[in-house]
Amino acid sequence: TFSLGLNVCMSGSATSCEECLLISPSCAWCAQEEFGRARTLTSRCDLSQNLQKRGCEAHNIESPSSTTMVVKSEPLSSKGSGPTQYDVIQIMPQKISLNLRPGDQTSFEVQMRQVEDYPVDLYYLMDLSLSMKDDLDTIRNLGTKLADEMSKLTSNFRLGFGSFVDKNMSPFSYTATKYQDNPCNGYKLFPNCVPSFGFRHLLSLTDKVDRFNEEVQKQMVSRNRDAPEGGFDAILQAAVCKERIGWRKEAFHLLVFATDDVPHLALDGKLGGLVQPHDGECHMNEKNEYSGSTKMDYPSLALLGEKLAENNIYLIFAVTKRLYVIYKNFTALIPGTTVEILDQDSKNIIQLIVNAYNNIRSKVELTVWDQPEDLSLSFTATCQDGQPLPGLRKCADLKIGDTVSFNVSVDARGCPAPGTQQRFTIKPVGLKDRLEVSVDYRCACGCTDQTQANSSRCSSIGQYTCGTCRCDPGYLGARCECQEGEAGSMYLSACREAEGKQICNGRGECSCNQCLCYESEFGKIYGTFCECDDFSCARHKGILCSGHGECHCGECKCHAGYIGDNCNCSTDTSSCVSDDGKICSGRGSCVCGHCQCTEPGAFGDTCEKCPTCPDACGTKRECIECRLFDSGRLSDNQTCQRLCKDEIITVETLKTEDPNAVLCLYKTENECVMKFMYSEHANGMSVLTALKEPECGAAPDAMTVLLAVVGSVLLVGIVLLAIWKLVITVHDRREFARFQSARCRARYEMYSTPFVMASLNKFRSKNVLNKSHKLHELFVH
């Protein structure tokens, strides 16, 4: 209400109760007969508390406020199948009535819960162009296997089948005579195939999954001329031909679109002379084929999204890796769609569908249908963690049975024609449940019911209503006491905002103590002294208040959901939420609906890309664990496929020469080391190059270890003994050498004396004679 000290209630141009209420939700009107100064008509419009201070009694103050009334609110269900299948409630309340005063915001709470064991209808729509031949061979027994997997998620599952190629006309298909019955005529790699067709419905939704296998086994591929396919024609027919397909009202609708190429889009049909836009209706003939294929153009993305949402259908793009980015961009334009990577031969189709189903069921998103143009809506989500998230209308990482809530604020920007009642609907994406909201407007004042025509209070030449006179043409004044054109010095002073200022600020004429403001080609000039206008406000790209606000007396009054001097800054943060549910991936802040990355090295729409961030390796490690080894934190909560969309390349040996890649490594539970490289490619995709297996040292054999230990002990013992023996031997030899040397020396000294020598010679002679005598006696004997 106040800006730079200005009271907008009193500075406005309100000359009636209704005009006063439109200025601001804080403004009130005093309908008391004797109130205010005679010359100031706008003095009756002020803040309610100011009016009371100035003598207006409370029962004479008109100040209605917005109100909310819950009309229907049945409790949320917990189970989807069984006797209560047709009474399942997943949104609460179901009906609300609003009474809105323009600018007076009101709010209400919506609760959502996805029930357990909800019925599922799955329609498999397959590209049968020639390049999908190996995929067709793979899915010939898909029905039985898929039913077995889906039985773990729901007890009520039905399956249907349809196929498409492209429009059977030039330049999209081969139309020459020799190709009419066999477009593969002359094609050496695959010489026989069926004529191309736009869309063919083959099997209505049924719980007899064997019939699915039978229909698939009957199919043959076809051949079209250009690379793009006519899949969007088929998607639209599968969505709108509800009776032919067999979609149940009380079921979860999944449409799986399997292809290996890009689709034709709206206006491509002009290449074949098709200028009639698609009408969005069902065109199936008695053969269950699309009869409008060669009559209408391909549908637009907007039409496709509208019809899918209208029929509560979740679309799953199952595409090859090279097409992932293209179809990922489509999901941003078509609500309720998701994209999964399909192997070249579709061998992962069952796991793909299960992952997509779990991904879809793990999140809730609200959409608004038929929103009136003069209403502004803003959402605040409170997900499973209990933290309010302003600007968000979706929750992710939910488990079946989790209850989440959304606070919805509604603001009316103006008043429609009297008696107008508006309606809009809030509904979850892909579900039949809805909240119907009816809107009435509180734009009239109660005092207008007591209007008096030609009242004596107005000199009998005007209507008396809500304490003021509405004079007949040509008359002015608080009591219609003056005629236009009368002037005088006593009146002129009443037309100056302050002493020394121009009369009526130079933008009007003074007549009968009132300013009559000039008309302007730019807009409206108003105010007691013609001091205000509705065109002198800030602009953005040449648009006044950016188109998201109203110009009031030089200041933009922004609509709900926008702020700033020129109202160009959105407070909606949904565009800043990354796949992991964080605002700007936790690496920046959301400013005016766009992420401003504050983490050095972070980039991307939601700051999701950051090879050099400290947490980059840790974040990508979780994807490596769950995608390659089905382990880690993400493997248990069914979010791996949703959060980890990066391309992962496995190699035997990791090359680390790339300067733009970051080497990451971590230790596994088995004390092995896992290495991978993280890089960002020019096409916007993150690429992880990882080893096929962690690097682990081979565990030694127990017997080898035992023998090695024993052998080592023996070897050490032998070496020690050898050393000891060597030392002893060397020592003994030295001692013996010294002994021999000393002995020889001693003998030499003894025998070298004369006495010793004589004695020795005598001894020797005697000894010889004795020996000779003994030998003679022995011989004789």
Side-chain angles (χ1 to χ4, degrees), residues 39 489-497 510 513-515 528-529:
R39 73 171 186 87
S489 60
M490 62 173 293
Y491 296 135
L492 294 178
S493 61
C495 293
R496 297 181 191 273
E497 189 173 8
C510 184
N513 82 356
Q514 295 181 47
C515 283
T528 304
F529 306 103

Side-chain angles (χ1 to χ4, degrees), residues 568-609:
N568 69 326
C569 183
S570 172
T571 59
D572 185 10
T573 60
S574 59
S575 58
C576 296
V577 179
S578 54
D579 287 339
D580 59 3
K582 296 180 181 178
I583 299 293
C584 300
S585 304
R587 297 171 179 149
S589 55
C590 189
V591 179
C592 299
H594 300 281
C595 281
Q596 290 187 356
C597 305
T598 55
E599 185 78 26
F603 63 99
D605 292 339
T606 58
C607 305
E608 74 280 8
K609 304 180 186 300

Side-chain angles (χ1 to χ4, degrees), residues 348-516:
N348 68 329
I349 186 64
I350 293 179
Q351 190 58 43
L352 182 153
I353 293 173
V354 172
N355 290 340
Y357 174 80
N358 289 330
N359 181 15
I360 292 169
R361 292 281 277 164
S362 70
K363 59 187 177 184
V364 168
E365 182 176 2
L366 298 183
T367 58
V368 181
W369 287 58
D370 303 323
Q371 179 179 342
E373 293 183 357
D374 61 347
L375 292 187
S376 294
L377 274 69
S378 59
F379 291 77
T380 298
T382 303
C383 302
Q384 67 273 24
D385 59 359
Q387 297 296 320
L389 300 170
L392 281 188
R393 58 174 72 183
K394 63 181 178 181
C395 288
D397 293 336
L398 303 177
K399 296 179 180 178
I400 301 299
D402 283 351
T403 302
V404 296
S405 64
F406 301 87
N407 184 274
V408 185
S409 298
V410 187
D411 183 17
R413 296 194 292 267
C415 286
T420 301
Q421 187 180 55
Q422 307 274 25
R423 293 182 180 275
F424 64 91
T425 302
I426 297 176
K427 67 186 297 294
V429 174
L431 298 179
K432 69 173 184 63
D433 302 77
R434 61 186 61 207
L435 166 59
E436 297 178 354
V437 183
S438 60
V439 182
D440 286 314
Y441 294 84
R442 307 194 69 174
C443 296
C445 296
C447 56
T448 56
D449 296 336
Q450 304 172 10
T451 298
Q452 300 174 9
N454 298 321
S455 172
S456 59
R457 296 187 180 95
C458 304
S459 306
S460 300
I461 48 175
Q463 288 183 339
Y464 179 78
T465 178
C466 296
T468 63
C469 288
R470 294 184 180 177
C471 304
D472 292 345
Y475 292 90
L476 300 170
R479 297 292 180 226
C480 305
E481 68 275 17
C482 298
Q483 284 187 302
E484 289 185 8
E486 293 182 2
S489 60
M490 62 173 293
Y491 296 135
L492 294 178
S493 61
C495 293
R496 297 181 191 273
E497 189 173 8
E499 190 65 32
K501 286 199 172 186
Q502 289 182 291
I503 294 173
C504 300
N505 283 291
R507 303 204 293 180
E509 295 180 353
C510 184
S511 179
C512 194
N513 82 356
Q514 295 181 47
C515 283
L516 300 178

Side-chain angles (χ1 to χ4, degrees), residues 151-390:
S151 65
K152 302 173 184 177
L153 305 173
T154 176
S155 61
N156 195 336
F157 176 68
R158 297 200 311 170
L159 187 61
F161 182 58
S163 61
F164 66 91
V165 182
D166 207 345
K167 297 181 182 296
N168 192 12
M169 60 186 298
S170 181
F172 312 113
S173 298
Y174 292 94
T175 56
T177 305
K178 67 176 183 177
Y179 295 125
Q180 287 183 354
D181 296 326
N182 180 15
C184 294
N185 188 4
Y187 187 62
K188 295 181 180 179
L189 295 177
F190 196 80
N192 296 303
C193 58
V194 299
S196 62
F197 53 91
F199 166 63
R200 185 174 292 157
H201 170 54
L202 300 168
L203 177 66
S204 298
L205 291 163
T206 177
D207 55 2
K208 297 178 176 60
V209 294
D210 290 339
R211 289 192 57 198
F212 180 93
N213 297 339
E214 294 171 4
E215 287 297 331
V216 172
Q217 289 168 6
K218 296 177 185 177
Q219 303 311 306
M220 292 182 63
V221 294
S222 182
R223 184 187 182 201
N224 58 323
R225 172 172 285 176
D226 59 352
E229 318 291 5
F232 280 9
D233 268 344
I235 291 175
L236 193 136
Q237 292 303 298
V240 299
C241 299
K242 295 181 287 188
E243 289 75 18
R244 294 286 186 97
I245 304 298
W247 297 114
R248 292 176 292 179
K249 183 179 179 181
E250 303 290 336
F252 201 76
H253 302 158
L254 296 179
L255 177 57
V256 180
F257 178 80
T259 185
D260 65 347
D261 223 315
V262 296
H264 276 297
L265 303 175
L267 301 182
D268 284 357
K270 289 188 175 182
L271 296 172
L274 300 178
V275 295
Q276 180 181 348
H278 204 293
D279 60 5
E281 300 297 327
C282 178
H283 297 279
M284 298 278 284
N285 59 24
E286 63 279 358
K287 296 181 180 179
N288 279 336
E289 293 184 353
Y290 174 39
S291 59
S293 180
T294 57
K295 300 176 182 178
M296 290 183 291
D297 193 7
Y298 298 96
S300 66
L301 290 172
L303 180 62
L304 208 58
E306 177 187 338
K307 294 304 177 181
L308 289 170
E310 189 178 294
N311 294 283
N312 305 317
I313 294 174
Y314 274 107
L315 175 62
I316 302 172
F317 289 125
V319 299
T320 51
K321 184 167 60 176
R322 70 180 181 88
L323 301 174
Y324 176 80
V325 174
I326 295 174
Y327 281 89
K328 181 67 173 177
N329 293 334
F330 287 155
T331 65
L333 302 173
I334 307 175
T337 58
T338 185
V339 60
E340 300 288 340
I341 296 177
L342 181 70
D343 288 348
Q344 289 293 340
D345 57 357
S346 296
K347 63 183 178 182
N348 68 329
I349 186 64
I350 293 179
Q351 190 58 43
L352 182 153
I353 293 173
V354 172
N355 290 340
Y357 174 80
N358 289 330
N359 181 15
I360 292 169
R361 292 281 277 164
S362 70
K363 59 187 177 184
V364 168
E365 182 176 2
L366 298 183
T367 58
V368 181
W369 287 58
D370 303 323
Q371 179 179 342
E373 293 183 357
D374 61 347
L375 292 187
S376 294
L377 274 69
S378 59
F379 291 77
T380 298
T382 303
C383 302
Q384 67 273 24
D385 59 359
Q387 297 296 320
L389 300 170

